Amino acid sequence: MASVFGINLPHISLKVFLLVHFSLLIFCGWGLPLQYQASNYFVLGLGFWLLSDKNNTTPSLFFCAFLVATAIGDIFLMIFYHNVMSKSANQKFSTFMTVMNVLLKPATFIYGWAEHKRRDGDSEASGYTNFDSDVAPTYLPDHISPPVAGAEPM
């Protein structure tokens, strides 16, 4: 079990989330601009890149970032393009599939982030090296002595 944000996650493959997103996207695009489907299929492509490249953290970061961006974009598109009045049954079904797709994106993000943490080694260290800390003078050649604290420079 993976733990992300203090939550113990059940073992569900990211492939399942991508398959569900793909099946929802097939029915989502009726009445929406082409950018909606293009951006979401691009995120699916990033998800497949994430699955195929097992030893790199870049696909997981791209996947999570673009997933958040498309979730925000999907919400704005639903606000401006989905009008419940005077719609056919097919367009109402498409609206429902779009809402389901947006509701699934946070869970997909959490599993994508868990995949990123797993690939990154799940370390809490940031990788930052503090160069201001006291360093042992073993790196100095023999003829140079390390500076003494509080001594005036000559």
Side-chain angles (χ1 to χ4, degrees), residues 44-68:
L44 278 180
L46 288 174
F48 291 127
W49 179 32
L50 169 68
L51 291 176
S52 66
D53 192 3
K54 296 284 186 198
N55 57 356
N56 196 355
T57 59
T58 304
S60 57
L61 284 176
F62 272 106
F63 178 71
C64 289
F66 280 97
L67 192 68
V68 169

Short mmCIF file of all heavy atoms in Angstrom, two decimals, residues 44-68:
data_model
loop_
_atom_site.label_atom_id
_atom_site.label_comp_id
_atom_site.label_asym_id
_atom_site.label_seq_id
_atom_site.Cartn_x
_atom_site.Cartn_y
_atom_site.Cartn_z
N LEU A 44 -3.92 11.91 -21.48
CA LEU A 44 -3.90 10.45 -21.58
C LEU A 44 -2.59 9.96 -22.19
O LEU A 44 -2.02 8.96 -21.76
CB LEU A 44 -5.08 9.95 -22.41
CG LEU A 44 -6.40 9.83 -21.70
CD1 LEU A 44 -7.47 9.34 -22.65
CD2 LEU A 44 -6.30 8.91 -20.51
N GLY A 45 -2.11 10.68 -23.20
CA GLY A 45 -0.81 10.33 -23.79
C GLY A 45 0.31 10.44 -22.77
O GLY A 45 1.21 9.60 -22.72
N LEU A 46 0.26 11.49 -21.92
CA LEU A 46 1.25 11.61 -20.85
C LEU A 46 1.12 10.44 -19.87
O LEU A 46 2.13 9.96 -19.33
CB LEU A 46 1.08 12.93 -20.12
CG LEU A 46 1.50 14.19 -20.87
CD1 LEU A 46 1.14 15.42 -20.06
CD2 LEU A 46 2.98 14.17 -21.18
N GLY A 47 -0.10 10.00 -19.63
CA GLY A 47 -0.30 8.85 -18.74
C GLY A 47 0.30 7.58 -19.32
O GLY A 47 0.91 6.78 -18.60
N PHE A 48 0.17 7.39 -20.63
CA PHE A 48 0.78 6.22 -21.25
C PHE A 48 2.30 6.33 -21.25
O PHE A 48 3.01 5.34 -21.13
CB PHE A 48 0.24 6.01 -22.66
CG PHE A 48 -1.20 5.60 -22.68
CD1 PHE A 48 -2.13 6.29 -23.42
CD2 PHE A 48 -1.64 4.52 -21.91
CE1 PHE A 48 -3.46 5.92 -23.42
CE2 PHE A 48 -2.96 4.14 -21.90
CZ PHE A 48 -3.88 4.84 -22.66
N TRP A 49 2.82 7.56 -21.38
CA TRP A 49 4.27 7.78 -21.27
C TRP A 49 4.71 7.43 -19.85
O TRP A 49 5.76 6.82 -19.65
CB TRP A 49 4.60 9.22 -21.62
CG TRP A 49 6.05 9.59 -21.52
CD1 TRP A 49 7.13 8.79 -21.75
CD2 TRP A 49 6.57 10.88 -21.19
NE1 TRP A 49 8.29 9.51 -21.57
CE2 TRP A 49 7.98 10.79 -21.24
CE3 TRP A 49 5.99 12.09 -20.87
CZ2 TRP A 49 8.80 11.88 -20.97
CZ3 TRP A 49 6.82 13.17 -20.62
CH2 TRP A 49 8.21 13.05 -20.66
N LEU A 50 3.91 7.82 -18.86
CA LEU A 50 4.21 7.50 -17.46
C LEU A 50 4.27 5.99 -17.25
O LEU A 50 5.16 5.49 -16.56
CB LEU A 50 3.14 8.12 -16.57
CG LEU A 50 3.09 7.73 -15.10
CD1 LEU A 50 4.30 8.27 -14.39
CD2 LEU A 50 1.83 8.26 -14.47
N LEU A 51 3.36 5.26 -17.88
CA LEU A 51 3.36 3.81 -17.72
C LEU A 51 4.52 3.14 -18.45
O LEU A 51 5.04 2.12 -18.00
CB LEU A 51 2.05 3.23 -18.22
CG LEU A 51 0.81 3.56 -17.39
CD1 LEU A 51 -0.43 3.02 -18.06
CD2 LEU A 51 0.95 3.03 -15.99
N SER A 52 4.93 3.70 -19.58
CA SER A 52 5.97 3.03 -20.37
C SER A 52 7.38 3.33 -19.89
O SER A 52 8.27 2.50 -20.03
CB SER A 52 5.83 3.43 -21.85
OG SER A 52 6.12 4.80 -22.01
N ASP A 53 7.62 4.51 -19.32
CA ASP A 53 8.96 4.89 -18.86
C ASP A 53 9.02 4.70 -17.35
O ASP A 53 8.63 5.57 -16.59
CB ASP A 53 9.25 6.34 -19.24
CG ASP A 53 10.69 6.71 -19.08
OD1 ASP A 53 11.50 5.84 -18.72
OD2 ASP A 53 11.04 7.88 -19.31
N LYS A 54 9.53 3.56 -16.93
CA LYS A 54 9.46 3.17 -15.51
C LYS A 54 10.50 3.82 -14.61
O LYS A 54 10.33 3.88 -13.41
CB LYS A 54 9.60 1.65 -15.38
CG LYS A 54 8.48 0.89 -16.03
CD LYS A 54 7.25 0.95 -15.20
CE LYS A 54 6.18 0.07 -15.78
NZ LYS A 54 4.88 0.38 -15.29
N ASN A 55 11.61 4.29 -15.17
CA ASN A 55 12.69 4.75 -14.31
C ASN A 55 12.92 6.25 -14.36
O ASN A 55 13.97 6.73 -13.98
CB ASN A 55 13.99 4.02 -14.67
CG ASN A 55 14.35 4.22 -16.14
OD1 ASN A 55 13.59 4.83 -16.88
ND2 ASN A 55 15.48 3.70 -16.55
N ASN A 56 11.93 7.02 -14.82
CA ASN A 56 12.10 8.45 -14.95
C ASN A 56 10.96 9.15 -14.20
O ASN A 56 9.81 8.71 -14.25
CB ASN A 56 12.06 8.82 -16.43
CG ASN A 56 12.60 10.20 -16.70
OD1 ASN A 56 12.92 10.94 -15.78
ND2 ASN A 56 12.71 10.54 -17.97
N THR A 57 11.27 10.25 -13.53
CA THR A 57 10.24 10.97 -12.79
C THR A 57 9.60 12.07 -13.62
O THR A 57 8.56 12.60 -13.24
CB THR A 57 10.83 11.61 -11.52
OG1 THR A 57 11.87 12.49 -11.89
CG2 THR A 57 11.33 10.55 -10.57
N THR A 58 10.17 12.41 -14.76
CA THR A 58 9.63 13.48 -15.59
C THR A 58 8.20 13.21 -16.07
O THR A 58 7.35 14.09 -15.99
CB THR A 58 10.56 13.76 -16.78
OG1 THR A 58 11.86 14.04 -16.28
CG2 THR A 58 10.08 14.92 -17.61
N PRO A 59 7.89 11.99 -16.57
CA PRO A 59 6.51 11.77 -17.01
C PRO A 59 5.48 11.92 -15.90
O PRO A 59 4.38 12.42 -16.14
CB PRO A 59 6.52 10.34 -17.54
CG PRO A 59 7.92 9.98 -17.76
CD PRO A 59 8.73 10.84 -16.86
N SER A 60 5.84 11.52 -14.69
CA SER A 60 4.87 11.63 -13.60
C SER A 60 4.62 13.09 -13.22
O SER A 60 3.48 13.46 -12.92
CB SER A 60 5.35 10.83 -12.39
OG SER A 60 6.61 11.25 -11.97
N LEU A 61 5.66 13.92 -13.26
CA LEU A 61 5.47 15.34 -12.98
C LEU A 61 4.63 16.00 -14.06
O LEU A 61 3.72 16.79 -13.77
CB LEU A 61 6.81 16.04 -12.85
CG LEU A 61 7.57 15.80 -11.56
CD1 LEU A 61 8.93 16.47 -11.60
CD2 LEU A 61 6.78 16.30 -10.38
N PHE A 62 4.94 15.72 -15.33
CA PHE A 62 4.15 16.28 -16.42
C PHE A 62 2.71 15.81 -16.33
O PHE A 62 1.77 16.60 -16.53
CB PHE A 62 4.74 15.87 -17.78
CG PHE A 62 5.79 16.81 -18.29
CD1 PHE A 62 7.12 16.45 -18.27
CD2 PHE A 62 5.44 18.04 -18.80
CE1 PHE A 62 8.09 17.29 -18.75
CE2 PHE A 62 6.41 18.91 -19.28
CZ PHE A 62 7.73 18.53 -19.26
N PHE A 63 2.50 14.53 -16.05
CA PHE A 63 1.16 13.98 -15.97
C PHE A 63 0.36 14.68 -14.88
O PHE A 63 -0.78 15.11 -15.10
CB PHE A 63 1.22 12.47 -15.72
CG PHE A 63 -0.11 11.82 -15.58
CD1 PHE A 63 -0.94 11.66 -16.68
CD2 PHE A 63 -0.55 11.36 -14.35
CE1 PHE A 63 -2.18 11.05 -16.55
CE2 PHE A 63 -1.78 10.75 -14.22
CZ PHE A 63 -2.60 10.60 -15.32
N CYS A 64 0.94 14.82 -13.70
CA CYS A 64 0.22 15.45 -12.59
C CYS A 64 -0.06 16.93 -12.87
O CYS A 64 -1.16 17.42 -12.61
CB CYS A 64 1.01 15.30 -11.30
SG CYS A 64 1.04 13.62 -10.67
N ALA A 65 0.93 17.64 -13.42
CA ALA A 65 0.74 19.07 -13.70
C ALA A 65 -0.34 19.29 -14.76
O ALA A 65 -1.23 20.14 -14.59
CB ALA A 65 2.06 19.68 -14.14
N PHE A 66 -0.28 18.53 -15.84
CA PHE A 66 -1.28 18.72 -16.89
C PHE A 66 -2.65 18.18 -16.48
O PHE A 66 -3.67 18.67 -16.97
CB PHE A 66 -0.81 18.08 -18.19
CG PHE A 66 0.18 18.93 -18.94
CD1 PHE A 66 1.54 18.72 -18.82
CD2 PHE A 66 -0.27 19.96 -19.75
CE1 PHE A 66 2.44 19.50 -19.49
CE2 PHE A 66 0.64 20.76 -20.43
CZ PHE A 66 1.99 20.53 -20.30
N LEU A 67 -2.68 17.21 -15.59
CA LEU A 67 -3.97 16.72 -15.09
C LEU A 67 -4.67 17.81 -14.29
O LEU A 67 -5.88 18.02 -14.43
CB LEU A 67 -3.75 15.47 -14.25
CG LEU A 67 -4.98 14.67 -13.89
CD1 LEU A 67 -5.55 14.02 -15.15
CD2 LEU A 67 -4.64 13.60 -12.88
N VAL A 68 -3.92 18.52 -13.46
CA VAL A 68 -4.50 19.63 -12.69
C VAL A 68 -4.95 20.74 -13.64
O VAL A 68 -6.04 21.30 -13.49
CB VAL A 68 -3.48 20.15 -11.65
CG1 VAL A 68 -3.94 21.46 -11.04
CG2 VAL A 68 -3.25 19.12 -10.57
#
